[in-house]
Amino acid sequence: MWDTDSVAVYFYIIFFMLGCWGMVQAWLSQTRTETIHPFKAFVHLLAFYLSYLLVPLFFFSLYAGWSGYYSIHQAVFIFLLSGILIYARFIEPHHVSVKTLQYQLNPEQKMQRPVKLVLIADLHIGLFSGHERQLKIIVEKINQQNPDLVLVAGDWTYEPENTLADELAILKQINAPVYSVNGNHDEQYPGPPIQNLLQHALKVNNVIDIEGKIVEFDEFRLLGVGDLWAGKTDMRYMPDLPQDKSWVILSHNPDTVDMVPQLPKRPLMLSGHTHGGQVELPWLTNYIMEKVSILGHKKGLYRHEHADVFVTVGTGMVGVPFRFRVPPTIDVIELI
């Protein structure tokens, strides 16, 4: 009953049944998704659910190598590949890290009281990420930092279901005001149907949309700028605004920094969009990043002619349901 051929048959039966389950789940999820590209959403969801096949494949490769059903080279290759993909699919996306940075906003004078900002971006609630387990981890880690304010640099969504407001309800537990701007996935894709849904979800969960608005703080002003790809990044008016305080600019796409005009005090822009590559592979990731950011932004702090820009790797996923060597990250920036 438990000879090698029998075990292989049981494995293929389980593999087939799990594959059928994945196809059904992908189809059902697609029907609840707010999208103008249902087939594309189905394909992405299929990759998400079929990734569960990696688990039995991982264990079967051990048995197949030990029993001689596979050659040792085949078994090692399948074992390593499936193991890496399991890590990238099921482990790293939930391993939310926290990184800190001190930044002197006004080089000529330190602030009277440091201000702790928490920056997150690219939650991409929808097909792959931003579900209850991950959002709970994010909120808990944010509150552990005891921030003065939380900034969300866009791309809230990735073809979400129509229960978005309920999914974001946990954000009410954040113990600081939350300010936000939209990203390209919120504005341009999947399209107009998502905008009212997102606007309602943010409003009922106490997230303050500051696109095109200025928020006054004691020693700096916070400006929300719309998405670059949506054509909402006009900042030519900034030199005409009061310049007695330093500026912090919240904008989804870091390439927006190229549009910041010269100001008396050098602003700091906070952005996301790049995911830090999301999957870090030699050469390939850097090649893809050239398409994502024309100015070469990936992650961290960059200095440009008229402003500095800090790029967070974000917390969600698009394209493929994997993160590898780029864990979801909450950035704590202490303005001094």
Side-chain angles (χ1 to χ4, degrees):
M1 180 178 179
W2 293 106
D3 59 83
T4 302
D5 289 338
S6 297
V7 172
V9 169
Y10 294 142
F11 164 72
Y12 288 123
I13 291 173
I14 293 172
F15 207 74
F16 175 77
M17 293 177 65
L18 196 56
C20 291
W21 170 84
M23 293 185 69
V24 172
Q25 290 299 315
W27 177 258
L28 292 175
S29 294
Q30 180 275 133
T31 61
R32 298 189 298 266
T33 297
E34 297 290 326
T35 180
I36 57 176
H37 297 285
F39 179 73
K40 186 176 182 180
F42 171 73
V43 171
H44 284 185
L45 284 162
L46 193 61
F48 179 78
Y49 285 106
L50 290 184
S51 62
Y52 283 94
L53 295 172
L54 293 167
V55 178
L57 182 62
F58 175 80
F59 288 105
F60 182 71
S61 68
L62 291 174
Y63 174 80
W66 170 78
S67 67
Y69 188 78
Y70 291 160
S71 72
I72 190 64
H73 296 94
Q74 289 174 323
V76 168
F77 175 77
I78 295 173
F79 172 79
L80 291 176
L81 180 61
S82 58
I84 290 171
L85 291 175
I86 287 171
Y87 170 78
R89 164 66 177 86
F90 297 102
I91 299 175
E92 185 164 308
H94 299 287
H95 189 274
V96 182
S97 64
V98 178
K99 295 186 177 181
T100 60
L101 171 74
Q102 278 195 336
Y103 182 88
Q104 188 167 340
L105 191 58
N106 183 354
E108 299 177 358
Q109 181 180 355
K110 287 192 174 183
M111 301 180 71
Q112 295 180 6
R113 184 185 75 85
V115 176
K116 184 182 287 188
L117 312 177
V118 161
L119 173 66
I120 59 174
D122 303 289
L123 282 85
H124 287 299
I125 297 163
L127 300 184
F128 296 154
S129 52
H131 299 298
E132 182 179 2
R133 177 186 171 192
Q134 190 192 48
L135 286 177
K136 184 177 180 180
I137 294 171
I138 291 170
V139 170
E140 288 176 351
K141 287 184 177 285
I142 287 175
N143 284 336
Q144 289 171 6
Q145 304 309 310
N146 194 27
D148 295 299
L149 61 154
V150 176
L151 304 179
V152 185
D155 268 7
W156 283 92
T157 61
Y158 185 44
E159 303 191 43
E161 296 184 358
N162 51 20
T163 56
L164 184 60
D166 295 333
E167 291 183 85
L168 290 179
I170 194 170
L171 297 180
K172 293 180 180 178
Q173 298 179 20
I174 295 178
N175 300 324
V178 182
Y179 301 98
S180 166
V181 294
N182 285 350
N184 56 288
H185 280 269
D186 307 320
E187 294 281 3
Q188 290 185 306
Y189 183 84
I194 201 64
Q195 293 172 350
N196 291 337
L197 181 70
L198 176 60
Q199 186 179 30
H200 169 73
L202 297 183
K203 184 176 181 180
V204 299
N205 290 300
N206 302 330
V207 177
I208 305 167
D209 182 1
I210 61 168
E211 182 177 318
K213 300 175 182 177
I214 298 171
V215 183
E216 292 277 352
F217 294 93
D218 290 341
E219 297 183 75
F220 68 96
R221 291 183 176 92
L222 173 64
L223 172 66
V225 176
D227 180 62
L228 176 65
W229 290 2
K232 296 185 175 182
T233 55
D234 185 5
M235 290 180 280
R236 289 173 292 183
Y237 60 89
M238 286 190 70
D240 299 327
L241 298 174
Q243 302 296 327
D244 55 313
K245 299 178 183 178
S246 298
W247 289 95
V248 174
I249 302 171
L250 182 64
S251 182
H252 174 66
N253 193 320
D255 287 358
T256 308
V257 71
D258 206 30
M259 304 179 71
V260 177
Q262 186 172 4
L263 300 171
K265 294 182 175 64
R266 186 178 183 84
L268 171 65
M269 177 175 285
L270 302 176
S271 301
H273 182 63
T274 67
H275 298 202
Q278 187 173 309
V279 175
E280 182 60 54
L281 298 173
W283 305 295
L284 179 60
T285 300
N286 287 337
Y287 173 76
I288 295 174
M289 290 306 300
E290 292 174 0
K291 314 297 181 183
V292 176
S293 173
I294 296 174
L295 297 181
H297 298 114
K298 189 175 182 181
K299 62 181 179 180
L301 187 65
Y302 297 85
R303 185 174 180 85
H304 289 270
E305 183 180 5
H306 295 153
D308 293 342
V309 59
F310 181 85
V311 186
T312 179
V313 304
T315 62
M317 300 173 287
V318 296
V320 293
F322 302 110
R323 270 188 178 264
F324 182 64
R325 298 176 60 203
V326 193
T329 301
I330 297 167
D331 285 289
V332 180
I333 301 172
E334 187 176 19
L335 302 179
I336 60 174

